[in-house]
Amino acid sequence: MKRKLLVFLLVLTMLVSASSALAAASIDYPVENGHTLSIWAPLNSAAAKKITSYNENESFIFAQEYTGISLEFVHPAIGQETESFNLMIASEEYTDMVTVWNPMYPGGNVAAVEDGVFIDLTDKLDEYSPAFAEILATNTEYWREISTPDGRILAYTGYKNSTDKQEGSYNRLQVRADWLEESGLGILRTIADYEAFFQWILDNKEGVIPLAIEGDGFDATLAIAFELYEANYSLRDGALYASRYDPALKDYLEMMHRWYEKGYLSKDFVSVDRQNAFETGAAAMFSYTSVDTYTRCASLGIPVENLPYLRQEEGQQLHGFYAIWPNNTVYTTITTKCEYPEEAMEFIDFGYTEFGANVYNFGYPERAWVYGEDGKPQYTDYMLHNPDYANINDSTHILKLHSGGIARMRYSDAVTIPDNVLDPGCLTYRLQWMDDPNYDIDYCIPSLVYTTEDNDRHASLWTDIKTYSDEMILKFITGAESLDNFDNYLATLKSMGIEECLEISQRTYDAFMQKTPAK
Amino acid sequence: MAQPSAALKKSFPRRLARNYRQNPYIYWMALPVVLYYLLFHYLPMFGIVIAFQNFRPARGVFGSQWVGMQNFQDFFRSPFAPRLIRNTILINVYSILWGFPAPILLALMLNEVRASAYKRVIQTVSYMPHFISLVVICGMIKEFSLINGLFNDVRAFFGLERVGILSEAKMFRTVYIASGIWQQIGWGSIIYLATLAGADPNLYEAAVIDGANRFQRIIHVTLPVLVPLIVMQFILRMGQMMNVGSEKIILLYTPLTYETGDVISSYVYRRGLQETKYSLGTAIGLFNSLINMCLVVGTNALSRKVLDESLW
């Protein structure tokens, strides 16, 4: 009897705790007596063509109606985000919330909290942002990425739970399809293939530059063949390495210098606008985002084709330079000047609930989208064929929230970009070559969060290192500096303290991999 | 005679009060100017203290940590410091060498033009570029400097090879200074022309009677009229020796031209503003200002000795 009572009591407590957990797991919108909160956020340049504030964005309109909390957007001038942010900090007149692409405060969010600019969210998350807290509790990788070295949460960040981390490889070499066919060389895969094509262009297309690349000479789509990446650090055999300080850089630079000498690159590739060069027929190939190129070239009537990444030889195992991490950048923080931080937390939490994510990802419910038969949102004609928006890219930023604005849960572009939904060719184009069997993203590392001290030390060394290395990379390519001096280059980097940078980062990365949530 | 000495014996406030009663309006007229300098030039000097701190805006001047000469050491120990100082001085030396005489020459030439309408057209056309925004000017320079751009078309016309003009370190100063002269020559000549307009016609008449030809009149009459102004302009220009406007440099340079184009101000922009190391920026600014001040004082003393012309 006693035992039965015990079981009964146990079940009862479990039920009670379960129901209280359920109650905490969601916030009842609209909140009572919601206030107006100000939020500083860069306005997407595509959106700025049609609207002056995210208050006109339909996802935000609905979110405010639904949560009962109003927003007042403060947008910095486009192109002056950093200056504007620094000015706001220096003047000590912060908005209630701040959204940035990457932490802008000198020393990162850790320093910002230490200096009393942003607030520490850790202890209040369970109560005021249950949906966000739930994600953190279930996705350790995400928690690791956004928590500080001592396990605190200082910012909401964009969250993308992608099962396929490779989906994001969107930068590819884009080539004029008609010329490629004319040359009869077929799909270009190896360095030899590319050089044959470049030579064919030089011989057959008067005045056309075979290849237009990024102005800094460090083009990701080419450097990948040498295991070199634009990111500061990559991971090989468990150890971090810096591409700027890697012996393989010499091989890459030798190739680029050869291409420069042979005229495959323009003599002033540093200052050439590669997109413009390709679209005006002045360049035969360039590296760029595939979806953008596909749609622009379609409207301009230029035949274009995606190429697989450059390889030194057929079948070489490539390690990609871009992976989708759960932390999809975009950081929203709450400042110490916010009078109602709990309300701000409740508002932001909406974007991490399933319904809220639908609102931001797809637009105004029942207007821009409805639930389809599979229970997933489907766009209506209001989104796909809206007479007010001749260019679907504009509606992407106005009728829904494409990027920026506020941190929230983000779905895959494949389902949320109307372009992809409207024109399956676009999605196919983007996913082309994704089935490459000899491609992985093992060398990518997520963004590292340093302690304030490490960050100061690393930044002060890295700035000069980057300046010097940027300069030398271009000089090696143009031949202003002979590659015989490559060892001197490595020695100079060493004297500038690059090994200390590596050491700091390795330590940070190791700690990152080891830390686990307290709960 | 007795009066001034008696006045001198009186205390300063009493003399001031007396002088104020005599010339009240002059004091009122001077007031806004004095206030302007106090508010915008002397008060902000207090901010120099952050050169000796690790300044963090959110903590303010009083809350930030004192680091002594750390910021100065950071700058001078940077591997780029010698190059930055060299580039800054060289760009200024060449600017003075080529850019300083240019508006004087233009003014001398315009002064000889007798056709009034023609002169006006030349003047207007030559100072027009001064009003174009620097960003637009640099956009034009970049466009003209491309392989297929205007400058290379000219080179090709004369049988020279097409080169990436802005990608070559050795051409950076030429582009920078030549475009500067083009933009500022007309505007710079105005002050000289205005002075020449006030030159005594009797001097020219006397020179003609003495049989001086046109060139001799320029050398012996026109130029001496300009000397005080030229000296004054030169002394002031020396005070800019450590300054090169960062805007134009940043708009024109690429890593390939850092070798000749990276100057102190562009470095301060990268480190001080982009990385918000305000302390470092202030320290370098203080260092520059000290050198500039020494140069102004030195040039002024030299000029007083040699030419008997000086600012003070």
Side-chain angles (χ1 to χ4, degrees):
Chain A
M1 195 63 202
K2 222 176 184 182
R3 203 187 153 109
K4 259 189 176 171
L5 191 72
L6 200 70
V7 170
F8 174 74
L9 278 174
L10 213 69
V11 169
L12 196 72
T13 39
M14 273 169 75
L15 272 175
V16 168
S17 62
S19 64
S20 71
L22 270 179
S26 70
I27 287 162
D28 291 327
Y29 297 114
V31 301
E32 277 175 40
N33 307 320
H35 295 87
T36 299
L37 303 172
S38 57
I39 175 167
W40 186 96
L43 184 63
N44 184 293
S45 55
K49 281 191 275 181
K50 294 248 176 167
I51 57 176
T52 55
S53 156
Y54 274 136
N55 269 328
E56 296 168 59
N57 175 294
E58 296 206 351
S59 290
F60 276 119
I61 292 175
F62 182 83
Q64 294 178 55
E65 286 168 5
Y66 185 80
T67 59
I69 298 166
S70 307
L71 295 182
E72 185 195 325
F73 279 95
V74 177
H75 295 301
I78 288 169
Q80 292 175 13
E81 289 81 5
T82 316
E83 289 84 352
S84 164
F85 177 85
N86 291 340
L87 202 64
M88 175 171 74
I89 298 301
S91 68
E92 291 185 53
E93 282 171 14
Y94 330 132
T95 49
D96 296 327
M97 290 178 270
V98 174
T99 299
V100 293
W101 286 109
N102 281 299
M104 277 183 173
Y105 193 85
N109 290 331
V110 181
V113 171
E114 278 173 13
D115 288 354
V117 178
F118 298 151
I119 62 169
D120 185 344
L121 307 166
T122 322
D123 300 334
K124 292 182 178 171
L125 282 179
D126 284 337
E127 192 172 349
Y128 298 105
S129 293
F132 181 66
E134 173 75 20
I135 291 170
L136 286 175
T138 48
N139 191 333
T140 307
E141 194 175 33
Y142 181 54
W143 178 85
R144 269 188 193 147
E145 267 196 87
I146 73 164
S147 60
T148 61
D150 54 352
R152 288 175 298 147
I153 303 292
L154 310 179
Y156 295 87
T157 83
Y159 171 66
K160 202 167 190 175
N161 190 14
S162 179
T163 44
D164 185 5
K165 283 187 175 173
Q166 296 188 18
E167 183 210 341
S169 310
Y170 51 79
N171 258 351
R172 286 199 178 270
L173 288 159
Q174 316 283 325
V175 66
R176 279 285 295 260
D178 48 344
W179 292 346
L180 184 62
E181 203 187 325
E182 211 182 317
S183 75
L185 290 164
I187 303 296
L188 311 175
R189 293 179 192 275
T190 63
I191 295 177
D193 293 347
Y194 275 84
E195 290 186 345
F197 176 70
F198 294 154
Q199 196 56 48
W200 183 86
I201 289 286
L202 277 189
D203 297 341
N204 295 283
K205 300 287 166 194
E206 172 93 41
V208 175
I209 308 161
L211 174 66
I213 61 164
E214 261 185 76
D216 61 6
F218 203 118
D219 201 294
T221 51
L222 304 171
I224 186 176
F226 301 88
E227 299 184 354
L228 302 172
Y229 309 93
E230 251 183 324
N232 292 351
Y233 302 106
S234 314
L235 183 74
R236 184 165 50 201
D237 306 329
L240 295 191
Y241 70 103
S243 290
R244 295 171 186 280
Y245 187 56
D246 198 62
L249 182 63
K250 189 175 182 185
D251 302 331
Y252 170 72
L253 292 174
E254 258 165 9
M255 178 186 82
M256 296 305 279
H257 178 59
R258 189 168 69 237
W259 289 6
Y260 181 83
E261 285 294 302
K262 288 191 172 171
Y264 298 163
L265 296 173
S266 164
K267 288 283 176 243
D268 57 356
F269 72 92
V270 177
S271 28
V272 163
D273 175 353
R274 56 195 162 132
Q275 190 178 19
N276 184 43
F278 185 80
E279 286 174 2
T280 55
M285 189 193 293
F286 80 131
S287 63
Y288 214 66
T289 58
S290 24
V291 172
D292 202 30
T293 311
Y294 176 85
T295 46
R296 285 182 63 104
C297 287
S299 66
L300 289 166
I302 299 170
V304 64
E305 201 171 327
N306 252 333
L307 287 172
Y309 291 127
L310 181 70
R311 279 182 158 86
Q312 295 189 48
E313 63 227 18
E314 200 89 45
Q316 179 194 359
Q317 181 73 21
L318 289 186
H319 310 282
F321 47 85
Y322 187 89
I324 292 190
W325 302 99
N327 175 15
N328 197 236
T329 67
V330 178
Y331 292 73
T332 299
T333 42
I334 298 171
T335 70
T336 47
K337 293 271 152 66
C338 180
E339 280 184 67
Y340 312 101
E342 292 83 7
E343 257 179 53
M345 294 179 79
E346 285 169 343
F347 181 85
I348 299 170
D349 196 53
F350 177 61
Y352 293 92
T353 63
E354 196 191 339
F355 180 59
N358 285 342
V359 168
Y360 286 120
N361 280 291
F362 296 100
Y364 204 103
E366 303 297 321
R367 193 191 289 172
W369 59 276
V370 291
Y371 285 110
E373 279 168 16
D374 55 357
K376 288 180 180 159
Q378 276 179 353
Y379 283 130
T380 62
D381 277 351
Y382 180 77
M383 177 66 86
L384 297 179
H385 303 282
N386 194 320
D388 291 343
Y389 299 98
N391 183 350
I392 192 111
N393 271 328
D394 293 343
S395 51
T396 308
H397 294 280
I398 298 166
L399 301 183
K400 69 188 266 316
L401 189 64
H402 177 59
S403 58
I406 198 162
R408 35 96 198 197
M409 183 149 51
R410 216 178 146 183
Y411 297 152
S412 157
D413 286 353
V415 294
T416 61
I417 296 187
D419 254 348
N420 288 342
V421 179
L422 261 185
D423 179 358
C426 189
L427 188 60
T428 316
Y429 194 79
R430 172 161 177 171
L431 298 181
Q432 200 181 2
W433 307 118
M434 289 303 299
D435 52 357
D436 194 331
N438 298 319
Y439 177 92
D440 62 58
I441 48 167
D442 294 349
Y443 283 25
C444 297
I445 58 162
S447 56
L448 297 174
V449 180
Y450 298 97
T451 63
T452 317
E453 277 164 28
D454 281 350
N455 189 71
D456 275 358
R457 182 69 189 149
H458 187 272
S460 72
L461 291 171
W462 194 260
T463 312
D464 284 348
I465 288 172
K466 189 172 180 305
T467 307
Y468 173 72
S469 148
D470 279 350
E471 186 181 340
M472 292 305 285
I473 286 174
L474 282 176
K475 279 183 166 177
F476 283 131
I477 293 177
T478 62
E481 188 80 45
S482 160
L483 269 162
D484 297 340
N485 296 330
F486 187 77
D487 288 342
N488 291 343
Y489 162 78
L490 291 184
T492 310
L493 282 185
K494 192 173 177 181
S495 73
M496 292 172 89
I498 197 163
E499 305 223 309
E500 189 183 341
C501 287
L502 271 166
E503 197 188 304
I504 293 174
S505 304
Q506 182 74 49
R507 174 155 40 88
T508 310
Y509 177 74
D510 291 343
F512 170 89
M513 290 310 287
Q514 276 159 17
K515 75 179 172 184
T516 40
K519 272 173 263 182
Chain B
M1 273 296 161
Q3 227 174 2
S5 64
L8 273 179
K9 273 173 198 157
K10 284 179 187 163
S11 68
F12 178 74
R14 289 191 62 179
R15 274 183 289 142
L16 189 69
R18 185 190 155 94
N19 197 296
Y20 173 73
R21 272 197 302 280
Q22 284 171 347
N23 314 301
Y25 299 112
I26 289 183
Y27 281 88
W28 283 109
M29 276 167 69
L31 188 67
V33 181
V34 173
L35 274 182
Y36 166 80
Y37 275 96
L38 280 179
L39 278 178
F40 293 105
H41 291 267
Y42 281 83
L43 208 62
M45 269 200 225
F46 169 68
I48 288 174
V49 298
I50 71 170
F52 305 96
Q53 292 182 328
N54 179 11
F55 178 68
R56 302 191 79 94
R59 296 190 179 183
V61 173
F62 298 103
S64 294
Q65 185 195 354
W66 291 92
V67 294
M69 302 299 280
Q70 183 68 43
N71 292 311
F72 293 89
Q73 284 173 7
D74 278 355
F75 174 62
F76 288 110
R77 278 188 191 153
S78 154
F80 301 116
R83 183 172 85 180
L84 295 168
I85 296 173
R86 187 194 71 210
N87 284 343
T88 306
I89 292 178
L90 275 183
I91 283 187
N92 269 307
V93 167
Y94 289 131
S95 287
I96 291 175
L97 214 58
W98 301 111
F100 188 75
I104 302 174
L105 285 175
L106 182 71
L108 289 176
M109 290 195 285
L110 280 175
N111 193 44
E112 298 303 317
V113 176
R114 293 285 164 255
S116 160
Y118 178 65
K119 185 174 167 180
R120 268 168 220 284
V121 169
I122 293 283
Q123 262 186 285
T124 314
V125 169
S126 69
Y127 68 59
M128 207 71 97
H130 172 82
F131 296 102
I132 305 176
S133 151
L134 197 57
V135 179
V136 178
I137 295 269
C138 291
M140 288 162 66
I141 296 173
K142 276 182 168 168
E143 205 67 29
F144 292 163
S145 301
L146 289 178
I147 285 284
N148 302 314
L150 179 72
F151 296 152
N152 271 311
D153 288 347
V154 174
R155 281 180 68 99
F157 181 78
F158 287 105
L160 290 161
E161 193 198 350
R162 286 178 183 268
V163 290
I165 293 175
L166 280 176
S167 328
E168 299 243 1
K170 61 176 192 281
M171 295 180 100
F172 185 82
R173 286 190 201 113
T174 313
V175 173
Y176 182 89
I177 291 166
S179 60
I181 293 176
W182 169 72
Q183 197 190 357
Q184 297 301 346
I185 188 168
W187 185 255
S189 69
I190 289 178
I191 189 170
Y192 296 108
L193 280 169
T195 312
L196 287 178
D200 188 352
N202 290 332
L203 291 172
Y204 287 100
E205 217 173 288
V208 172
I209 290 167
D210 287 347
N213 64 23
R214 212 161 223 226
F215 186 69
Q216 285 166 327
R217 274 176 305 193
I218 293 178
I219 298 294
H220 297 291
V221 181
T222 317
L223 212 50
V225 170
L226 288 181
V227 163
L229 182 64
I230 293 174
V231 169
M232 192 184 86
Q233 292 274 338
F234 184 74
I235 296 171
L236 290 177
R237 181 65 184 80
M238 287 305 282
Q240 303 290 318
M241 195 49 133
M242 296 302 285
N243 301 352
V244 172
S246 60
E247 301 91 346
K248 195 173 168 187
I249 295 276
I250 289 165
L251 287 167
L252 289 180
Y253 76 177
T254 64
L256 269 180
T257 47
Y258 280 173
E259 186 62 42
T260 50
D262 198 15
V263 295
I264 296 178
S265 59
S266 51
Y267 182 80
V268 168
Y269 173 80
R270 289 202 305 271
R271 297 295 306 269
L273 285 179
Q274 286 188 326
E275 280 179 40
T276 60
K277 296 219 172 281
Y278 299 121
S279 288
L280 185 72
T282 310
I284 299 172
L286 185 61
F287 162 73
N288 282 350
S289 302
L290 282 176
I291 292 191
N292 283 336
M293 203 179 86
C294 295
L295 283 172
V296 170
V297 173
T299 320
N300 192 58
L302 194 72
S303 152
R304 189 165 43 209
K305 223 172 190 165
V306 178
L307 289 173
D308 219 19
E309 295 276 358
S310 63
L311 272 183
W312 66 86

